[in-house]
């Protein structure tokens, strides 16, 4: 069974769609973890400043 050009194009488009459906949520999760890391760093910095102020 040989595939014609139309079948090959449809197969390629289906593969690209599946790749996007897999990659986009992963990229979204990675972006979320980077934001969480930046927020955690800011919280740690503020906590350190507060500790310095509380010490006599």
């Amino acid at each position: 069974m040989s595939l014609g050009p139309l079948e090959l194009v449809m197969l390629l488009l289906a593969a690209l769609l599946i790749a996007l459906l897999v990659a986009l949520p992963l990229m979204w999760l990675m972006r979320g973890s980077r934001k969480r890391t930046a927020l955690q760093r800011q919280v740690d910095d503020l906590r350190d400043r507060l500790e310095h102020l509380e010490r006599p």
Side-chain angles (χ1 to χ4, degrees):
M1 174 182 151
S2 68
L3 293 176
L6 186 61
E7 285 88 359
L8 286 176
V9 168
M10 293 299 288
L11 194 62
L12 181 64
L13 286 176
L16 285 174
L17 181 65
I18 291 171
L20 277 176
L21 287 175
V22 169
L24 286 176
L26 288 177
M27 288 168 50
W28 184 69
L29 286 174
M30 290 296 291
R31 190 186 70 192
S33 70
R34 272 199 305 266
K35 283 184 179 178
R36 210 166 23 251
T37 302
L39 278 176
Q40 187 62 49
R41 193 177 306 121
Q42 288 178 352
V43 168
D44 291 342
D45 290 345
L46 288 173
R47 190 174 290 138
D48 288 344
R49 284 193 214 165
L50 189 62
E51 287 176 0
H52 287 302
L53 289 175
E54 288 176 350
R55 286 189 209 139

